[in-house]
Coordinates of all heavy atoms in Angstrom, one line a residue:
M1 N 0.8 -1.2 0.0 CA 0.0 0.0 0.0 C 0.9 1.2 0.0 O 1.9 1.4 0.7 CB -0.9 0.0 1.2 CG -1.9 1.1 1.2 SD -3.1 0.7 2.5 CE -3.4 2.3 3.1
S2 N 0.5 2.2 -0.8 CA 1.4 3.4 -0.9 C 1.2 4.3 0.2 O 0.1 4.4 0.8 CB 1.1 4.1 -2.3 OG -0.2 4.6 -2.3
Q3 N 2.2 5.1 0.5 CA 2.1 6.1 1.6 C 1.3 7.3 1.1 O 1.5 7.8 -0.1 CB 3.6 6.5 1.9 CG 3.6 7.5 3.1 CD 3.6 6.8 4.4 OE1 3.5 5.6 4.5 NE2 3.5 7.6 5.5
Q4 N 0.4 7.8 1.9 CA -0.4 9.0 1.5 C 0.3 10.2 2.1 O 0.8 10.3 3.2 CB -1.8 8.9 2.0 CG -2.6 7.8 1.4 CD -4.1 8.1 1.6 OE1 -4.5 8.5 2.7 NE2 -4.8 7.8 0.6
K5 N 0.4 11.2 1.2 CA 1.0 12.5 1.6 C -0.1 13.4 2.1 O -1.2 13.5 1.4 CB 1.7 13.2 0.4 CG 2.3 14.5 0.7 CD 2.9 15.1 -0.6 CE 3.4 16.5 -0.2 NZ 3.8 17.2 -1.4
E6 N 0.1 14.1 3.2 CA -0.9 15.0 3.7 C -0.5 16.4 3.3 O 0.7 16.8 3.3 CB -1.0 14.9 5.2 CG -2.1 15.7 5.8 CD -2.4 15.3 7.3 OE1 -2.1 14.2 7.7 OE2 -2.9 16.2 7.9
F7 N -1.5 17.2 2.9 CA -1.2 18.6 2.5 C -2.5 19.4 2.8 O -3.6 18.9 3.1 CB -0.9 18.7 1.0 CG -2.0 18.1 0.1 CD1 -2.9 18.9 -0.5 CD2 -2.1 16.8 -0.1 CE1 -3.9 18.5 -1.3 CE2 -3.1 16.2 -0.9 CZ -4.0 17.1 -1.5
N8 N -2.2 20.7 2.9 CA -3.4 21.7 3.3 C -3.7 22.5 2.1 O -2.9 22.9 1.3 CB -2.9 22.5 4.4 CG -2.7 21.8 5.7 OD1 -3.5 20.9 6.1 ND2 -1.6 22.1 6.4
L9 N -5.0 22.8 2.1 CA -5.6 23.7 1.0 C -6.5 24.7 1.7 O -7.2 24.4 2.7 CB -6.3 22.9 0.0 CG -5.6 21.9 -0.9 CD1 -6.6 21.2 -1.8 CD2 -4.6 22.7 -1.7
R10 N -6.5 25.9 1.2 CA -7.4 26.9 1.7 C -8.4 27.2 0.6 O -8.1 27.4 -0.5 CB -6.7 28.3 2.0 CG -7.6 29.3 2.5 CD -6.8 30.6 2.8 NE -6.0 30.5 4.0 CZ -6.4 30.7 5.2 NH1 -7.7 31.1 5.5 NH2 -5.6 30.6 6.3
I11 N -9.7 27.0 1.0 CA -10.8 27.3 0.0 C -11.5 28.5 0.5 O -12.0 28.6 1.7 CB -11.8 26.1 0.0 CG1 -11.0 24.7 -0.3 CG2 -12.9 26.3 -0.9 CD1 -10.4 24.7 -1.7
A12 N -11.8 29.4 -0.4 CA -12.5 30.7 -0.1 C -11.9 31.3 1.1 O -10.7 31.5 1.2 CB -14.0 30.3 0.1
D13 N -12.8 31.8 2.1 CA -12.3 32.4 3.3 C -12.3 31.5 4.5 O -12.3 31.9 5.6 CB -13.0 33.7 3.6 CG -14.5 33.5 3.8 OD1 -14.9 32.3 3.6 OD2 -15.2 34.4 4.1
L14 N -12.2 30.2 4.2 CA -12.3 29.2 5.3 C -10.8 28.9 5.7 O -9.9 29.2 5.1 CB -12.9 27.9 4.8 CG -14.3 28.0 4.3 CD1 -14.8 26.7 3.6 CD2 -15.3 28.5 5.4
A15 N -10.7 28.3 6.9 CA -9.5 27.9 7.5 C -8.9 26.8 6.6 O -9.6 26.1 5.9 CB -9.7 27.4 8.9
P16 N -7.6 26.7 6.6 CA -7.0 25.6 5.7 C -7.5 24.2 6.1 O -7.8 24.0 7.3 CB -5.5 25.8 6.1 CG -5.3 27.2 6.5 CD -6.5 27.5 7.2
M17 N -7.7 23.4 5.1 CA -8.2 22.1 5.3 C -7.1 21.1 5.0 O -6.4 21.3 4.0 CB -9.4 21.8 4.5 CG -10.6 22.7 5.0 SD -12.1 22.5 3.9 CE -11.7 23.7 2.7
S18 N -7.1 20.0 5.7 CA -6.1 18.9 5.5 C -6.7 17.9 4.4 O -7.8 17.5 4.6 CB -5.7 18.3 6.8 OG -4.8 17.3 6.6
F19 N -5.9 17.5 3.5 CA -6.2 16.5 2.5 C -5.1 15.4 2.4 O -3.9 15.7 2.8 CB -6.4 17.1 1.1 CG -7.6 17.9 1.0 CD1 -7.5 19.3 1.4 CD2 -8.8 17.4 0.6 CE1 -8.7 20.1 1.3 CE2 -9.9 18.3 0.5 CZ -9.8 19.6 0.9
K20 N -5.4 14.2 1.9 CA -4.4 13.3 1.7 C -4.4 12.8 0.2 O -5.5 12.7 -0.4 CB -4.6 12.0 2.6 CG -4.3 12.3 4.1 CD -4.5 11.1 4.9 CE -4.2 11.5 6.4 NZ -4.4 10.3 7.2
A21 N -3.3 12.5 -0.3 CA -3.2 12.0 -1.7 C -2.2 10.9 -1.8 O -1.1 10.9 -1.1 CB -2.8 13.1 -2.7
S22 N -2.5 9.8 -2.6 CA -1.6 8.7 -2.7 C -0.5 9.0 -3.8 O 0.6 8.3 -3.8 CB -2.4 7.5 -3.2 OG -3.4 7.2 -2.1
T23 N -0.8 9.8 -4.7 CA 0.2 10.1 -5.8 C 0.3 11.7 -6.0 O -0.6 12.4 -5.6 CB -0.3 9.5 -7.1 OG1 -1.5 10.2 -7.5 CG2 -0.5 8.0 -7.0
A24 N 1.4 12.0 -6.7 CA 1.6 13.4 -7.0 C 0.5 13.9 -8.0 O 0.0 15.1 -7.8 CB 3.0 13.6 -7.7
E25 N 0.0 13.0 -8.9 CA -1.1 13.4 -9.8 C -2.4 13.7 -9.0 O -3.1 14.6 -9.3 CB -1.3 12.3 -10.8 CG -0.2 12.1 -11.8 CD 1.0 11.3 -11.2 OE1 0.8 10.5 -10.2 OE2 2.1 11.4 -11.8
E26 N -2.6 12.9 -8.0 CA -3.9 13.1 -7.2 C -3.8 14.4 -6.4 O -4.7 15.2 -6.4 CB -4.1 11.9 -6.2 CG -5.3 12.0 -5.4 CD -5.6 10.9 -4.4 OE1 -4.6 10.1 -4.2 OE2 -6.6 10.9 -3.8
E27 N -2.6 14.7 -5.8 CA -2.4 15.9 -5.1 C -2.6 17.1 -6.1 O -3.2 18.1 -5.7 CB -1.0 16.0 -4.5 CG -0.8 17.3 -3.7 CD 0.6 17.4 -3.1 OE1 1.3 16.4 -3.0 OE2 0.9 18.5 -2.7
K28 N -2.1 17.0 -7.3 CA -2.1 18.1 -8.3 C -3.6 18.3 -8.6 O -4.0 19.5 -8.8 CB -1.3 17.8 -9.5 CG -1.4 18.9 -10.6 CD -0.5 18.6 -11.8 CE -0.5 19.7 -12.8 NZ -1.6 20.6 -12.9
S29 N -4.4 17.2 -8.7 CA -5.8 17.5 -9.1 C -6.5 18.1 -8.0 O -7.4 19.0 -8.2 CB -6.5 16.1 -9.4 OG -6.6 15.3 -8.3
W30 N -6.2 17.8 -6.7 CA -6.8 18.6 -5.6 C -6.4 20.1 -5.6 O -7.2 21.0 -5.4 CB -6.3 17.9 -4.3 CG -7.1 16.8 -3.9 CD1 -6.6 15.5 -3.9 CD2 -8.5 16.7 -3.4 NE1 -7.6 14.6 -3.4 CE2 -8.7 15.3 -3.2 CE3 -9.5 17.6 -3.3 CZ2 -10.0 14.9 -2.7 CZ3 -10.7 17.1 -2.8 CH2 -10.9 15.8 -2.6
R31 N -5.1 20.3 -5.9 CA -4.7 21.7 -5.9 C -5.3 22.4 -7.1 O -5.6 23.6 -6.9 CB -3.1 21.7 -5.9 CG -2.5 21.2 -4.6 CD -1.0 21.5 -4.6 NE -0.4 21.0 -3.4 CZ -0.4 21.5 -2.2 NH1 -1.0 22.7 -2.1 NH2 0.1 21.0 -1.1
D32 N -5.3 21.8 -8.2 CA -6.0 22.5 -9.4 C -7.4 22.8 -9.1 O -7.9 23.9 -9.5 CB -5.8 21.6 -10.7 CG -4.4 21.5 -11.2 OD1 -3.5 22.2 -10.7 OD2 -4.2 20.6 -12.0
A33 N -8.1 21.8 -8.5 CA -9.5 22.0 -8.2 C -9.7 23.2 -7.2 O -10.6 24.1 -7.4 CB -10.2 20.7 -7.6
S34 N -8.9 23.2 -6.2 CA -9.0 24.3 -5.2 C -8.7 25.7 -5.9 O -9.3 26.6 -5.5 CB -8.1 24.1 -4.0 OG -6.8 24.2 -4.3
E35 N -7.8 25.7 -6.8 CA -7.4 26.9 -7.5 C -8.6 27.4 -8.3 O -9.0 28.6 -8.3 CB -6.2 26.7 -8.4 CG -5.8 28.0 -9.1 CD -4.5 27.8 -10.0 OE1 -3.7 26.8 -9.7 OE2 -4.3 28.6 -10.9
L36 N -9.3 26.5 -9.0 CA -10.5 26.9 -9.7 C -11.6 27.4 -8.8 O -12.2 28.4 -9.1 CB -11.0 25.7 -10.6 CG -10.2 25.3 -11.8 CD1 -10.7 24.0 -12.3 CD2 -10.1 26.4 -12.8
V37 N -11.8 26.7 -7.7 CA -12.8 27.2 -6.8 C -12.5 28.6 -6.3 O -13.3 29.5 -6.2 CB -13.0 26.2 -5.6 CG1 -13.8 26.8 -4.5 CG2 -13.6 24.9 -6.1
N38 N -11.2 28.8 -5.9 CA -10.8 30.0 -5.3 C -10.9 31.2 -6.4 O -11.2 32.3 -6.1 CB -9.4 30.0 -4.8 CG -9.4 29.2 -3.5 OD1 -10.4 29.3 -2.7 ND2 -8.3 28.5 -3.1
Q39 N -10.6 30.9 -7.7 CA -10.7 31.9 -8.8 C -12.2 32.3 -8.8 O -12.5 33.5 -8.9 CB -10.2 31.3 -10.1 CG -8.8 31.2 -10.2 CD -8.4 30.5 -11.5 OE1 -9.1 30.1 -12.3 NE2 -7.0 30.4 -11.6
L40 N -13.1 31.3 -8.8 CA -14.5 31.7 -8.9 C -15.0 32.4 -7.6 O -15.7 33.3 -7.7 CB -15.3 30.4 -9.1 CG -16.6 30.5 -9.8 CD1 -16.5 31.2 -11.1 CD2 -17.2 29.1 -10.1
W41 N -14.5 32.0 -6.5 CA -14.8 32.7 -5.2 C -14.4 34.1 -5.3 O -15.2 35.0 -4.9 CB -14.1 31.9 -4.1 CG -14.0 32.7 -2.8 CD1 -13.1 33.5 -2.3 CD2 -15.2 32.8 -1.9 NE1 -13.5 34.1 -1.1 CE2 -14.8 33.7 -0.8 CE3 -16.5 32.3 -1.9 CZ2 -15.6 34.0 0.2 CZ3 -17.3 32.6 -0.8 CH2 -16.8 33.5 0.2
T42 N -13.1 34.4 -5.7 CA -12.7 35.8 -5.8 C -13.6 36.6 -6.7 O -14.0 37.7 -6.4 CB -11.2 35.8 -6.3 OG1 -10.4 35.1 -5.3 CG2 -10.7 37.2 -6.4
S43 N -13.9 36.1 -7.9 CA -14.7 36.8 -8.9 C -16.1 37.0 -8.4 O -16.6 38.1 -8.5 CB -14.7 36.0 -10.2 OG -15.6 36.5 -11.1
W44 N -16.7 36.0 -7.9 CA -18.1 36.0 -7.5 C -18.3 36.8 -6.2 O -19.4 37.3 -6.0 CB -18.7 34.6 -7.4 CG -19.0 34.1 -8.9 CD1 -18.6 34.6 -10.0 CD2 -19.7 32.9 -9.1 NE1 -19.0 33.9 -11.1 CE2 -19.7 32.8 -10.6 CE3 -20.4 31.9 -8.4 CZ2 -20.3 31.7 -11.2 CZ3 -21.0 30.9 -9.0 CH2 -21.0 30.7 -10.4
S45 N -17.3 36.8 -5.4 CA -17.4 37.6 -4.1 C -17.5 39.1 -4.4 O -18.2 39.8 -3.8 CB -16.2 37.3 -3.2 OG -16.2 36.0 -2.7
R46 N -16.8 39.5 -5.5 CA -16.9 40.9 -5.9 C -18.2 41.1 -6.6 O -18.9 42.1 -6.4 CB -15.7 41.2 -6.9 CG -14.4 41.4 -6.1 CD -13.3 41.9 -7.1 NE -12.0 41.4 -6.6 CZ -11.2 40.6 -7.3 NH1 -11.5 40.3 -8.5 NH2 -10.0 40.3 -6.8
R47 N -18.5 40.2 -7.6 CA -19.7 40.4 -8.4 C -21.0 40.3 -7.6 O -21.9 41.1 -7.9 CB -19.7 39.2 -9.4 CG -20.8 39.3 -10.4 CD -20.6 38.2 -11.5 NE -21.8 38.2 -12.3 CZ -22.0 37.2 -13.1 NH1 -21.2 36.2 -13.3 NH2 -23.1 37.1 -13.9
F48 N -21.0 39.5 -6.6 CA -22.2 39.3 -5.7 C -22.0 39.8 -4.3 O -22.2 39.0 -3.4 CB -22.7 37.8 -5.8 CG -23.0 37.3 -7.2 CD1 -22.1 36.4 -7.8 CD2 -24.1 37.8 -7.9 CE1 -22.4 35.9 -9.0 CE2 -24.4 37.3 -9.1 CZ -23.5 36.4 -9.8
A49 N -21.5 41.0 -4.2 CA -21.1 41.5 -2.9 C -22.2 41.5 -1.9 O -22.0 41.5 -0.7 CB -20.5 42.9 -3.0
D50 N -23.5 41.5 -2.4 CA -24.6 41.5 -1.5 C -25.0 40.2 -0.9 O -25.8 40.1 -0.1 CB -25.8 42.1 -2.2 CG -26.2 41.3 -3.5 OD1 -25.3 40.8 -4.2 OD2 -27.4 41.1 -3.8
K51 N -24.3 39.1 -1.4 CA -24.6 37.7 -1.0 C -23.7 37.4 0.2 O -22.6 37.8 0.3 CB -24.4 36.8 -2.1 CG -25.2 37.1 -3.3 CD -26.4 36.1 -3.4 CE -27.1 36.4 -4.8 NZ -28.5 36.4 -4.6
A52 N -24.2 36.5 1.0 CA -23.5 35.9 2.1 C -22.5 34.9 1.6 O -22.7 34.3 0.6 CB -24.4 35.2 3.2
P53 N -21.3 34.8 2.3 CA -20.3 33.8 1.8 C -20.9 32.4 1.6 O -20.5 31.7 0.7 CB -19.3 33.8 3.0 CG -19.4 35.2 3.6 CD -20.9 35.5 3.4
K54 N -21.8 31.9 2.5 CA -22.4 30.6 2.3 C -23.2 30.5 1.0 O -23.1 29.5 0.3 CB -23.4 30.3 3.4 CG -22.7 29.9 4.7 CD -23.8 29.6 5.7 CE -23.2 29.2 7.0 NZ -24.2 28.8 8.0
E55 N -23.8 31.6 0.6 CA -24.6 31.6 -0.7 C -23.6 31.6 -1.9 O -23.9 30.8 -2.8 CB -25.4 32.9 -0.8 CG -26.6 33.0 0.2 CD -27.3 34.3 0.0 OE1 -26.8 35.3 0.5 OE2 -28.5 34.3 -0.6
I56 N -22.5 32.3 -1.7 CA -21.6 32.3 -2.8 C -20.9 30.9 -3.0 O -20.8 30.3 -4.1 CB -20.5 33.3 -2.7 CG1 -21.1 34.7 -2.7 CG2 -19.4 33.2 -3.7 CD1 -20.2 35.9 -2.3
L57 N -20.6 30.3 -1.9 CA -20.0 28.9 -1.9 C -21.1 27.9 -2.5 O -20.7 27.0 -3.2 CB -19.6 28.4 -0.5 CG -18.3 29.0 -0.1 CD1 -17.9 28.6 1.4 CD2 -17.1 28.5 -1.0
A58 N -22.4 28.1 -2.1 CA -23.4 27.2 -2.7 C -23.5 27.4 -4.2 O -23.7 26.5 -4.9 CB -24.7 27.5 -2.0
M59 N -23.4 28.6 -4.7 CA -23.5 29.0 -6.1 C -22.3 28.3 -6.8 O -22.4 27.8 -7.9 CB -23.5 30.4 -6.3 CG -24.8 31.1 -5.9 SD -24.7 33.0 -5.7 CE -23.9 33.4 -7.3
I60 N -21.1 28.4 -6.2 CA -19.9 27.8 -6.7 C -20.1 26.2 -6.8 O -19.8 25.6 -7.9 CB -18.7 28.1 -6.0 CG1 -18.4 29.6 -6.2 CG2 -17.5 27.3 -6.3 CD1 -17.3 30.2 -5.2
A61 N -20.6 25.6 -5.7 CA -20.8 24.2 -5.7 C -21.8 23.8 -6.8 O -21.6 22.8 -7.6 CB -21.4 23.7 -4.4
L62 N -22.9 24.6 -7.0 CA -23.9 24.2 -8.0 C -23.3 24.4 -9.4 O -23.5 23.6 -10.3 CB -25.1 25.2 -7.9 CG -26.3 24.9 -8.8 CD1 -26.8 23.4 -8.6 CD2 -27.4 25.9 -8.5
R63 N -22.4 25.4 -9.6 CA -21.7 25.6 -10.9 C -20.9 24.4 -11.3 O -20.9 23.9 -12.4 CB -21.0 26.9 -10.9 CG -20.2 27.2 -12.2 CD -21.1 27.3 -13.4 NE -20.3 27.4 -14.6 CZ -20.2 26.4 -15.5 NH1 -20.8 25.3 -15.3 NH2 -19.5 26.7 -16.6
F64 N -20.1 23.9 -10.3 CA -19.3 22.8 -10.6 C -20.1 21.5 -10.8 O -19.8 20.7 -11.6 CB -18.2 22.6 -9.5 CG -17.0 23.5 -9.7 CD1 -17.0 24.7 -9.1 CD2 -16.0 23.1 -10.5 CE1 -15.9 25.6 -9.3 CE2 -14.9 24.0 -10.7 CZ -14.9 25.2 -10.1
A65 N -21.2 21.4 -10.0 CA -22.0 20.2 -10.2 C -22.7 20.2 -11.6 O -22.7 19.2 -12.3 CB -23.1 20.2 -9.2
Q66 N -23.1 21.4 -12.0 CA -23.7 21.5 -13.4 C -22.6 21.2 -14.5 O -22.9 20.5 -15.4 CB -24.2 23.0 -13.5 CG -25.0 23.2 -14.8 CD -24.2 23.8 -15.9 OE1 -23.1 24.3 -15.7 NE2 -24.7 23.8 -17.1
A67 N -21.4 21.6 -14.3 CA -20.4 21.3 -15.2 C -20.1 19.8 -15.3 O -19.9 19.2 -16.3 CB -19.1 22.1 -14.9
F68 N -20.2 19.2 -14.1 CA -20.0 17.7 -14.0 C -21.1 17.0 -14.8 O -20.8 16.0 -15.5 CB -19.9 17.3 -12.6 CG -19.7 15.9 -12.3 CD1 -18.4 15.4 -12.4 CD2 -20.7 15.0 -12.1 CE1 -18.1 14.0 -12.2 CE2 -20.5 13.6 -11.9 CZ -19.1 13.2 -11.9
V69 N -22.3 17.4 -14.6 CA -23.4 16.9 -15.3 C -23.3 17.0 -16.9 O -23.5 16.0 -17.6 CB -24.8 17.4 -14.8 CG1 -25.9 17.1 -15.7 CG2 -25.0 17.0 -13.4
V70 N -23.0 18.2 -17.3 CA -22.8 18.5 -18.7 C -21.6 17.6 -19.3 O -21.8 17.0 -20.4 CB -22.5 20.0 -18.9 CG1 -22.1 20.2 -20.4 CG2 -23.8 20.8 -18.7
N71 N -20.5 17.5 -18.5 CA -19.4 16.7 -19.0 C -19.7 15.3 -19.1 O -19.3 14.5 -20.0 CB -18.2 16.9 -18.1 CG -17.5 18.3 -18.4 OD1 -17.7 18.9 -19.4 ND2 -16.7 18.7 -17.4
G72 N -20.5 14.8 -18.1 CA -21.0 13.4 -18.2 C -21.8 13.1 -19.4 O -21.7 12.1 -20.1
A73 N -22.8 14.0 -19.7 CA -23.6 13.9 -20.9 C -22.8 13.9 -22.2 O -23.0 13.1 -23.1 CB -24.7 14.9 -20.9
T74 N -21.8 14.8 -22.2 CA -20.9 14.9 -23.4 C -20.1 13.6 -23.5 O -20.0 13.1 -24.7 CB -20.0 16.1 -23.2 OG1 -20.8 17.3 -23.1 CG2 -19.1 16.2 -24.5
E75 N -19.7 13.1 -22.4 CA -18.9 11.8 -22.5 C -19.8 10.7 -23.1 O -19.4 9.9 -23.9 CB -18.3 11.4 -21.2 CG -17.6 10.2 -21.2 CD -17.2 9.7 -19.8 OE1 -17.5 10.4 -18.7 OE2 -16.5 8.7 -19.7
R76 N -21.1 10.6 -22.6 CA -21.9 9.5 -23.0 C -22.2 9.7 -24.6 O -22.2 8.7 -25.2 CB -23.3 9.6 -22.2 CG -23.0 9.0 -20.8 CD -24.4 8.8 -20.1 NE -25.0 10.1 -19.8 CZ -24.7 10.9 -18.8 NH1 -23.7 10.6 -18.0 NH2 -25.4 12.1 -18.7
E77 N -22.4 10.9 -25.0 CA -22.6 11.2 -26.4 C -21.4 10.8 -27.2 O -21.6 10.2 -28.3 CB -23.0 12.6 -26.6 CG -24.3 13.1 -26.1 CD -24.5 14.6 -26.1 OE1 -23.7 15.3 -26.8 OE2 -25.6 15.0 -25.6
T78 N -20.3 11.1 -26.7 CA -19.0 10.8 -27.4 C -18.8 9.3 -27.5 O -18.5 8.8 -28.6 CB -17.8 11.4 -26.7 OG1 -18.0 12.8 -26.7 CG2 -16.5 11.1 -27.4
V79 N -19.1 8.6 -26.4 CA -18.9 7.1 -26.5 C -20.0 6.5 -27.5 O -19.6 5.6 -28.2 CB -19.1 6.5 -25.0 CG1 -19.3 5.0 -25.1 CG2 -18.0 6.9 -24.1
A80 N -21.2 7.0 -27.4 CA -22.2 6.5 -28.4 C -21.7 6.7 -29.8 O -21.9 5.9 -30.7 CB -23.5 7.1 -28.1
T81 N -21.2 7.9 -30.1 CA -20.8 8.3 -31.5 C -19.6 7.4 -31.9 O -19.6 6.8 -33.0 CB -20.4 9.7 -31.5 OG1 -21.5 10.5 -31.2 CG2 -19.8 10.1 -32.9
L82 N -18.7 7.1 -31.0 CA -17.6 6.3 -31.3 C -18.0 4.8 -31.5 O -17.5 4.2 -32.4 CB -16.5 6.3 -30.2 CG -15.7 7.6 -30.1 CD1 -14.8 7.6 -28.8 CD2 -14.9 7.8 -31.3
H83 N -19.0 4.4 -30.8 CA -19.6 3.0 -31.0 C -20.2 2.9 -32.3 O -20.0 1.9 -33.1 CB -20.6 2.7 -29.9 CG -21.1 1.4 -29.9 ND1 -20.4 0.2 -29.7 CD2 -22.4 0.9 -30.3 CE1 -21.1 -0.9 -29.8 NE2 -22.3 -0.5 -30.2
E84 N -21.0 3.9 -32.7 CA -21.6 3.9 -34.0 C -20.6 3.9 -35.2 O -20.7 3.2 -36.2 CB -22.5 5.1 -34.2 CG -23.8 5.1 -33.4 CD -24.6 6.4 -33.4 OE1 -24.3 7.3 -34.3 OE2 -25.4 6.5 -32.5
L85 N -19.5 4.7 -34.9 CA -18.4 4.8 -35.9 C -17.7 3.5 -36.1 O -17.5 3.0 -37.2 CB -17.5 5.9 -35.6 CG -16.3 6.1 -36.5 CD1 -16.7 6.4 -37.9 CD2 -15.3 7.1 -35.9
E86 N -17.5 2.8 -35.0 CA -16.8 1.5 -35.0 C -17.8 0.5 -35.7 O -17.2 -0.3 -36.5 CB -16.6 1.0 -33.5 CG -15.9 -0.3 -33.5 CD -15.7 -0.8 -32.0 OE1 -16.4 -0.4 -31.1 OE2 -14.7 -1.5 -31.8
E87 N -19.1 0.5 -35.4 CA -20.0 -0.4 -36.2 C -19.9 -0.1 -37.7 O -20.0 -1.1 -38.5 CB -21.4 -0.3 -35.6 CG -21.5 -0.9 -34.2 CD -22.9 -0.7 -33.6 OE1 -23.7 0.1 -34.2 OE2 -23.2 -1.4 -32.7
T88 N -19.9 1.2 -38.0 CA -20.0 1.5 -39.4 C -18.7 1.0 -40.1 O -18.7 0.4 -41.2 CB -20.1 3.0 -39.6 OG1 -21.3 3.4 -39.0 CG2 -20.1 3.5 -41.1
L89 N -17.5 1.2 -39.4 CA -16.2 0.8 -40.0 C -16.2 -0.7 -40.1 O -15.7 -1.2 -41.1 CB -15.1 1.3 -39.2 CG -14.8 2.8 -39.3 CD1 -13.8 3.2 -38.2 CD2 -14.4 3.2 -40.7
D90 N -16.7 -1.3 -39.1 CA -16.7 -2.9 -39.2 C -17.6 -3.3 -40.4 O -17.1 -4.2 -41.1 CB -17.3 -3.4 -37.9 CG -16.4 -3.3 -36.7 OD1 -15.2 -3.1 -37.0 OD2 -16.8 -3.6 -35.6
R91 N -18.7 -2.7 -40.6 CA -19.6 -3.1 -41.7 C -18.9 -2.8 -43.1 O -18.9 -3.6 -44.0 CB -20.9 -2.3 -41.7 CG -22.0 -3.0 -40.8 CD -23.3 -2.4 -41.0 NE -23.4 -0.9 -41.0 CZ -23.6 -0.2 -39.9 NH1 -23.7 -0.8 -38.7 NH2 -23.6 1.1 -39.9
L92 N -18.2 -1.7 -43.1 CA -17.5 -1.3 -44.4 C -16.4 -2.3 -44.6 O -16.2 -2.7 -45.8 CB -17.0 0.1 -44.3 CG -18.0 1.3 -44.4 CD1 -17.4 2.6 -44.1 CD2 -18.7 1.3 -45.7
L93 N -15.7 -2.6 -43.6 CA -14.5 -3.6 -43.8 C -15.0 -5.0 -44.1 O -14.4 -5.6 -45.0 CB -13.7 -3.6 -42.5 CG -12.8 -2.4 -42.3 CD1 -12.2 -2.4 -40.9 CD2 -11.8 -2.1 -43.4
V94 N -16.1 -5.4 -43.5 CA -16.6 -6.7 -43.8 C -17.2 -6.8 -45.2 O -16.9 -7.7 -46.0 CB -17.7 -7.1 -42.8 CG1 -18.6 -8.3 -43.2 CG2 -17.1 -7.3 -41.4
D95 N -17.9 -5.7 -45.6 CA -18.4 -5.6 -47.0 C -17.3 -5.6 -48.0 O -17.4 -6.2 -49.1 CB -19.3 -4.4 -47.2 CG -20.6 -4.5 -46.4 OD1 -20.9 -5.6 -46.0 OD2 -21.3 -3.4 -46.4
D96 N -16.2 -4.9 -47.7 CA -15.0 -4.9 -48.6 C -14.4 -6.2 -48.7 O -14.1 -6.7 -49.8 CB -14.0 -3.8 -48.1 CG -13.0 -3.5 -49.0 OD1 -13.3 -3.4 -50.3 OD2 -11.8 -3.5 -48.6
V97 N -14.2 -6.9 -47.6 CA -13.6 -8.2 -47.6 C -14.5 -9.2 -48.3 O -14.0 -10.0 -49.1 CB -13.3 -8.7 -46.2 CG1 -12.9 -10.2 -46.1 CG2 -12.2 -7.8 -45.5
V98 N -15.8 -9.2 -48.1 CA -16.7 -10.1 -48.7 C -16.8 -9.8 -50.2 O -16.9 -10.7 -51.0 CB -18.1 -10.0 -48.1 CG1 -19.2 -10.7 -48.9 CG2 -18.1 -10.5 -46.6
G99 N -16.7 -8.5 -50.6 CA -16.8 -8.2 -52.0 C -15.6 -8.6 -52.8 O -15.6 -8.7 -54.0
Q100 N -14.4 -8.8 -52.1 CA -13.2 -9.2 -52.7 C -13.1 -10.7 -53.0 O -12.3 -11.1 -53.7 CB -12.0 -8.8 -51.9 CG -11.8 -7.3 -51.9 CD -10.5 -6.9 -51.1 OE1 -9.8 -7.7 -50.6 NE2 -10.3 -5.6 -50.9
K101 N -14.0 -11.4 -52.4 CA -14.0 -12.9 -52.6 C -14.6 -13.3 -53.9 O -15.3 -12.8 -54.5 CB -14.7 -13.6 -51.4 CG -13.8 -13.5 -50.1 CD -14.5 -14.3 -49.1 CE -13.7 -14.4 -47.8 NZ -14.2 -15.2 -46.8

């Protein structure tokens, strides 16, 4: 079992939080995600100055959840398209091989 590295991240105006990662890639993904959240936090805190910090964090969570849903749908569409393409290529190749006999 691999050793987990512990590291801290600060999200929005909250106290630093402790996280663990098994690999450098996993740690990088946590750090990249926190950077995106913090960028949105900075921007939306200014843009929605009349909102409470909890509301802004909820808006950010919803935005990322919405992006996750859209990406999932896009992935399913891509897989379906690739499957159709594979079936079409298989039919073309089989027709070509059968036609050569």
